[in-house]
Each structure stands twice: as structure tokens, then as C-alpha cells.
């Protein structure tokens, strides 16, 4: 009985924790997206619209940083911040 219980826990616990983590992340990002939609006064049409908005914003920022002017500017700002001892030790 003890081995069966421990075997069941070792099989189910990682799956349950992973599902809970992904669900919590989805709910959090959806709430952030709904907050952004409320700021610009757009209607929340369906559950998940906020999550899609956040995913699209992350994708667009990734596209912007793939172009050289944005990547150069980010690198330059990062290089300037690294001159400060506090930023260098934390970053």
C-alpha cells in the first residue's frame, strides 16, 4: 500500500503541479491583458483575449529587437548601465 501511494504521488504530482502552474500563468496574463484592454477602453469579447493580447505584444517586441536599430539601442543602453557598480552586480 505504501509503495502504491508513493508511486501514484510521484506520477501525478508533477503533472498536477505543471497544470496548476500553466493555468495560473494563463489567468495572470489574461488579467493583465484585460487590464490593458480596459485602459484603452476596448470591450473584452471573450475569455483569453487578454492572454492573446499579451502574447501578441511579446511577439511584436521580439520582432522589434530582431532589427538592428532597436537591438543596437538596447545594447547601448545596457552598456551604459553596466558602468554603474550597482547595476553590474545585480544584472
Amino acid at each position: 500500500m505504501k509503495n502504491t501511494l508513493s508511486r501514484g504521488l510521484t506520477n501525478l504530482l508533477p503533472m498536477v503541479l505543471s497544470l496548476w502552474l500553466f493555468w495560473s500563468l494563463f489567468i495572470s496574463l489574461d488579467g493583465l491583458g484585460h487590464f490593458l484592454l480596459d485602459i484603452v477602453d476596448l470591450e473584452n469579447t471573450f475569455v483569453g483575449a487578454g492572454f492573446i493580447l499579451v502574447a501578441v505584444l511579446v511577439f511584436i517586441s521580439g520582432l522589434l529587437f530582431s532589427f538592428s536599430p532597436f537591438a543596437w539601442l538596447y545594447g547601448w543602453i545596457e552598456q551604459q548601465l553596466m558602468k554603474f557598480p550597482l547595476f553590474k552586480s545585480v544584472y
Side-chain angles (χ1 to χ4, degrees):
M1 174 98 176
K2 192 181 219 183
N3 286 338
T4 306
L5 182 63
S6 64
R7 195 176 313 136
L9 279 175
T10 57
N11 286 328
L12 287 178
L13 196 60
M15 183 176 58
V16 170
L17 287 176
S18 297
L19 289 174
W20 174 77
L21 178 69
F22 288 128
W23 181 256
S24 298
L25 183 64
F26 173 78
I27 294 296
S28 298
L29 291 177
D30 190 43
L32 176 65
H34 283 296
F35 175 71
L36 293 174
L37 287 172
D38 287 340
I39 287 176
V40 294
D41 201 26
L42 290 175
E43 184 178 333
N44 298 329
T45 55
F46 57 93
V47 175
F51 178 78
I52 292 172
L53 174 67
V54 171
V56 166
L57 289 175
V58 169
F59 180 75
I60 289 173
S61 67
L63 283 177
L64 286 176
F65 280 105
S66 67
F67 295 114
S68 61
F70 291 103
W72 176 84
L73 180 64
Y74 180 76
W76 182 80
I77 290 172
E78 186 179 30
Q79 186 180 22
Q80 297 304 316
L81 287 175
M82 286 302 142
K83 293 180 181 179
F84 295 102
L86 179 65
F87 284 109
K88 193 173 189 177
S89 63
V90 170
Y91 194 64

